[in-house]
Amino acid sequence: MDRLGAMAVFVRVVDEGSFAAAARSMRMSAPSITRAVAGLEDHLDTQLLVRTTRRLALTESGRRYVEDCRRILAEVDSAEAFASGAFVRPKGTLHVTAPVMFGHLHVLPVLGEFLDLHPAVDARTLFLDRVVHLIDEGMDVALRIGFLPDSTLRATRVGSVRSVLVASPDYLAEHGPLDDPEDLVHHDIVAVTRSQSPTVKWSFGHDQSDGPTLQPRIVCNTIEAGLRAAESGWGVTRLFSYQVHQAMLAGRLVRLLPEREVPDVPVHLVHVDARHTSAKLRAFLDFAAGRLRTRLDTIAEAFAD
């Protein structure tokens, strides 16, 4: 097997977690998969994988080498796409990731418009409420909410969102107003978190000072559940402006303590800073940035101080 082919096999074995699974996904025989990895190890004169009866584990050399393999294979794909014209006209599969609710509300409609304009492009989405590693998970572009760490990724800012304290009108009619963060200790709290901590603390104001320690009445591990709980009058919750925008417009939620909100959080489209950027990605970035800015500007206007 050629060196690049062996590298591809090695990466697939690591991703699948076993030789047998890699063989199935690549439609190759198990012995050929084993020979390919063994050939790489012989060529490099080093062990890449530790094989046990239960699992595979990368050696230190293997961990470094698998990332190099991913980069080299991506460069090869890029070169082939460039030669075939994929860098001249948008075509191929575009892989997009975003947080679940933002993906449903905003990325998916924009992506649909983009596909209507470019019939030679199709798309795959991965909507998850966690940071997705673009290279490891085969993504072209990600929508990120929050301050970005220093990295080699290219980022295009498309707007911002803010954390908003909300409750339903029925809840406030029954439990009374909320005039200060300290008043939260007298209210039912709907916390949206995956943390196992029995308490939550929310920060307030431009100095982001901590409010009181709160004991939630109900803890939800998804944004949708927390939103529905607040709309149903089960307590006060804190979510991003884009998440509560429609419920506020419909009168199902009321914004609380707007003068004590923390500074806005940026929203970016990010992608790998590759030597060549495919036409499909370049076209999507240009198209999506404009559409998303318009959407986020509309939401920001509704929450203007």
Side-chain angles (χ1 to χ4, degrees):
M1 179 178 292
D2 64 276
R3 188 89 53 79
L4 286 175
M7 287 180 176
V9 167
F10 173 57
V11 170
R12 187 65 64 88
V13 169
V14 173
D15 290 345
E16 296 289 346
S18 75
F19 286 85
R24 288 192 296 271
S25 67
M26 299 187 78
R27 297 183 179 180
M28 297 172 61
S29 68
S32 64
I33 294 287
T34 302
R35 284 195 300 272
V37 175
L40 277 179
E41 291 179 323
D42 289 343
H43 173 75
L44 298 169
D45 195 25
T46 189
Q47 187 175 11
L48 299 173
L49 292 167
V50 177
R51 304 158 179 81
T52 70
T53 55
R54 289 190 171 186
R55 59 188 291 269
L56 293 175
L58 286 164
T59 64
E60 183 177 350
S61 295
R63 283 193 296 272
R64 292 198 303 266
Y65 188 63
V66 74
E67 293 307 316
D68 287 339
C69 287
R70 294 187 197 279
R71 176 181 52 78
I72 291 167
L73 292 169
E75 286 288 334
V76 171
D77 288 343
S78 175
E80 291 179 344
F82 184 80
S84 68
F87 288 88
V88 177
R89 59 190 180 279
K91 67 176 183 178
T93 301
L94 181 72
H95 295 82
V96 183
T97 183
V100 174
M101 191 170 182
F102 197 98
H104 291 171
L105 291 176
H106 300 293
V107 173
L108 200 57
V110 170
L111 183 59
E113 290 183 69
F114 177 76
L115 295 180
D116 285 342
L117 293 174
H118 300 283
V121 178
D122 54 20
R124 300 290 182 272
T125 62
L126 182 63
F127 295 153
L128 295 172
D129 288 326
R130 64 170 174 81
V131 175
V132 172
H133 192 287
L134 296 185
I135 295 176
D136 285 356
E137 302 195 48
M139 295 290 109
D140 294 303
V141 59
L143 188 292
R144 298 265 168 90
I145 300 173
F147 295 95
L148 299 177
D150 291 336
S151 73
T152 58
L153 297 178
R154 296 286 299 275
T156 301
R157 181 162 174 157
V158 295
S160 61
V161 294
R162 61 174 55 188
S163 292
V164 183
L165 203 67
V166 292
S168 73
D170 289 345
Y171 172 86
L172 294 172
E174 181 179 349
H175 293 83
L178 185 63
D179 300 317
D180 188 88
E182 296 297 325
D183 294 341
L184 285 166
V185 297
H186 306 299
H187 284 267
D188 295 336
I189 301 300
V190 177
V192 180
T193 178
R194 291 186 175 87
S195 170
Q196 298 302 309
S197 173
T199 61
V200 296
K201 286 179 80 76
W202 291 330
S203 56
F204 292 90
H206 276 67
D207 60 354
Q208 301 194 52
S209 57
D210 285 342
T213 299
L214 304 172
Q215 177 76 47
R217 181 76 185 277
I218 182 171
V219 176
C220 301
N221 71 326
T222 69
I223 295 160
E224 290 82 356
L227 183 60
R228 298 295 172 261
E231 290 178 343
S232 299
W234 295 349
V236 179
T237 195
R238 192 177 204 176
L239 294 167
F240 279 132
S241 49
Y242 81 87
Q243 296 163 345
V244 301
H245 181 228
Q246 292 300 321
M248 286 181 55
L249 288 179
R252 298 191 299 272
L253 291 175
V254 176
R255 183 183 181 190
L256 306 171
L257 303 180
E259 71 283 357
R260 299 299 304 275
E261 290 170 357
V262 297
D264 292 357
V265 176
V267 181
H268 293 89
L269 288 171
V270 301
H271 64 98
V272 176
D273 186 12
R275 185 164 56 93
H276 299 297
T277 300
S278 65
K280 68 184 178 189
L281 177 55
R282 206 164 53 241
F284 180 74
L285 290 170
D286 291 343
F287 180 85
R291 291 295 196 276
L292 291 173
R293 285 192 187 103
T294 298
R295 286 170 167 265
L296 288 171
D297 284 349
T298 299
I299 295 172
E301 288 172 6
F303 290 86
D305 296 329

